[in-house]
Amino acid sequence: MSKFWKRLGIAAAVAGTAMSLAACGSSSAQKDVKITILQGKVESNKQFKQIAKQYEKTHPHVKIEVTSIGGGTDYDPVLKTRISSGNAPTIFSLAGPADLKQFKNYAADLSDTKAAKNAEKGTTSAVSEGGKTYGLPFNVEGYGYVYNKTVFKKAGIDPKSLTTVAKLQAAVEKIDSEKDQLGIKGVFAMPGKETWTMSDHLLNLYLAPEYDNNAMKLYNSKTLNFSRNQEMKQMLDLQKKYSVQPVMQLDYSAQVNQDFSQGKVAMIQQGDWIYPTVESVDKKFAQNDVGMIPIPVKGEEGKLPVGTSLYWAVNKRKSTAEQKAAKDFLDWLYTSKAGKKDVVNKLHFVPAYKGYSNMKMPDALTQVVYDYSKQGKTTGWVFPAYTGTSWDPDVAQPNLQKYLSGKQAWDKTVTNMKTGWAKQQSSK
């Protein structure tokens, strides 16, 4: 009752004693709270910081500090260091089942949050256990071949017709033979230095069908069924042969910022997350010349790989007030009117939550992912089963790089990957 009267500005009317006044003042005070966020989407660093500042304006008792990890720096080692040094973040990210197992002692149950209740079916399964949800999906993403519309138009090729490996190869050879007239350096820009593009995204295309597009099924498998490895080799070889050179010196920045965004190549293997970067380099090019098609896989033709690679977790070892502020912020981001606008228009995220049906995607790449998702023309992601495990950086990535650099035969690469997987699983 005292709060009510004070809010009306007539606290004096009920102020009987100094004690009651003191009680009234203390009960109405709202303590300041600071939450720290450590996240791994470095391409969204600027946008997350802008959103944090916006939230602070409408929630003046909350201060948010955003730190972004990426650009060649692995996320998990930084998170481990922060935790061991006593500087653990309030909000951190999980990449899937392996990360959940590793950091579960720090992850709060988020089942009762508005965001968790509004998450699309299946989007939290990789970070749920025992009826509890420990992570909230950042978004859903899709990847494939992001292409230059003008180059394809000049070459007389309809990119949407490239539904088989044979059709893709024929188109690649045609574009390569005309690259001088088309004004490009190469058909592809293959980032051989950026290990995750091959070990996570490309490899996923040939593993997902064998594990029913289910990351948990792969995560629990004692052996690695890589029967489609020759199909992957064919796609690796195609990209390498027709890429700008030298492949092993190309990283994400060179691929996206320099080669693709500046119109020097016909297409690159990437996803919808690159749009803000492309737009920052050349806004006109981003708005008019960017499209995306699926990478053709036998039996999965015309399907785009769509899934969730990152989830927000809240540190349960923080104070109750800090945890509540963190959950409130995430709920605001994904369920409030202002937050949803930022998710779509500022972050360029394809939402993993209900309540966005009346919103138009802000760019060509997120629209492609949204359209394929709504039409059900998607394949799943199983690579979250091994991102966060030692197998990815210690086995898959270096072996694929050895093959790309010509230092190791493909058969040896496959054998090492299978053996490494079995060894990891047996030690769980």
Side-chain angles (χ1 to χ4, degrees), residues 29 46 95 167 187 192 204 256 318 404:
K46 180 181 177 181
K167 289 178 180 178
V187 181
N204 174 78
V256 178
K318 294 294 184 178
L404 281 177

Side-chain angles (χ1 to χ4, degrees), residues 100-308:
L100 176 59
K101 181 178 181 180
Q102 186 173 190
F103 299 109
K104 189 177 177 182
N105 288 336
Y106 292 88
D109 180 13
L110 303 178
S111 304
D112 289 336
T113 61
K114 290 180 183 178
K117 293 174 181 177
N118 279 278
E120 292 283 5
K121 184 179 179 181
T123 57
T124 62
S125 59
V127 287
S128 295
E129 192 176 277
K132 296 180 179 180
T133 299
Y134 296 97
L136 302 173
F138 274 52
N139 60 336
V140 292
E141 297 175 319
Y143 64 90
Y145 282 136
V146 180
Y147 66 91
N148 183 320
K149 291 181 179 180
T150 297
V151 169
F152 272 80
K153 187 175 181 180
K154 286 182 178 178
I157 298 170
D158 176 9
K160 293 181 180 179
S161 70
L162 309 183
T163 54
T164 66
V165 176
K167 289 178 180 178
L168 174 67
Q169 182 157 347
V172 167
E173 290 172 354
K174 184 177 191 297
I175 292 172
D176 182 70
S177 69
E178 300 173 2
K179 62 185 178 185
D180 290 339
Q181 301 96 294
L182 295 171
I184 57 175
K185 290 167 54 181
V187 181
F188 298 103
M190 184 184 197
K193 194 175 180 180
E194 206 72 56
T195 54
W196 55 270
T197 58
M198 304 303 146
S199 70
D200 297 350
H201 295 166
L202 193 63
L203 177 59
N204 174 78
L205 296 176
Y206 308 100
L207 290 180
E210 299 181 346
Y211 293 92
D212 302 322
N213 297 309
N214 188 318
M216 289 301 290
K217 188 171 183 179
L218 173 58
Y219 182 71
N220 292 319
S221 177
K222 296 296 183 183
T223 58
L224 183 71
N225 298 324
F226 193 8
S227 61
R228 290 173 173 248
N229 71 81
Q230 286 298 321
E231 293 179 51
M232 180 174 179
K233 178 182 182 297
Q234 186 178 10
M235 198 60 67
L236 276 172
D237 292 348
L238 185 69
Q239 287 195 49
K240 180 182 176 182
K241 181 177 180 180
Y242 295 100
S243 172
V244 293
Q245 302 294 327
V247 164
M248 299 312 293
Q249 291 182 24
L250 287 180
D251 60 9
Y252 176 88
S253 179
Q255 180 200 36
V256 178
N257 300 45
Q258 298 170 31
D259 290 322
F260 183 73
S261 299
Q262 295 180 33
K264 297 176 182 177
V265 296
M267 57 183 157
I268 59 174
Q269 181 198 308
Q270 275 300 342
D272 62 307
W273 54 83
I274 73 167
Y275 187 87
T277 302
V278 179
E279 186 180 47
S280 70
V281 176
D282 189 331
K283 189 172 184 178
K284 185 177 179 181
F285 173 76
Q287 292 176 340
N288 300 316
D289 286 313
V290 176
M292 183 163 63
I293 55 173
I295 298 171
V297 176
K298 189 175 181 180
E300 303 291 334
E301 293 86 357
K303 294 181 179 180
L304 196 76
V306 173
T308 298

Side-chain angles (χ1 to χ4, degrees), residues 288-364:
N288 300 316
D289 286 313
V290 176
M292 183 163 63
I293 55 173
I295 298 171
V297 176
K298 189 175 181 180
E300 303 291 334
E301 293 86 357
K303 294 181 179 180
L304 196 76
V306 173
T308 298
S309 60
L310 289 173
Y311 307 82
W312 297 111
V314 173
N315 192 338
K316 70 180 181 182
R317 301 200 179 188
K318 294 294 184 178
S319 68
T320 302
E322 205 170 322
Q323 289 185 57
K324 183 180 185 306
K327 293 176 183 178
D328 288 347
F329 170 70
L330 293 173
D331 277 342
W332 172 88
L333 181 62
Y334 290 109
T335 66
S336 75
K337 186 176 180 180
K340 289 194 289 187
K341 284 179 68 175
D342 282 344
V343 165
V344 173
N345 298 317
K346 192 163 285 185
L347 290 169
H348 287 238
F349 279 179
V350 178
Y353 301 86
K354 299 169 186 173
Y356 290 76
S357 58
N358 295 325
M359 300 185 75
K360 184 177 179 356
M361 297 300 106
D363 65 74

Side-chain angles (χ1 to χ4, degrees), residues 1-8 24 26-29:
M1 180 65 72
S2 60
K3 281 187 177 180
F4 173 76
W5 289 113
K6 187 173 182 182
R7 195 162 58 244
L8 289 178
C24 178
S26 62
S27 65
S28 64

Side-chain angles (χ1 to χ4, degrees), residues 74 195 199-200 386-399 401 424:
D74 291 334
T195 54
S199 70
D200 297 350
Y386 53 84
T387 51
T389 71
S390 60
W391 181 82
D392 198 18
D394 296 345
V395 181
Q397 294 177 4
N399 274 281
Q401 282 199 306
Q424 171 191 266

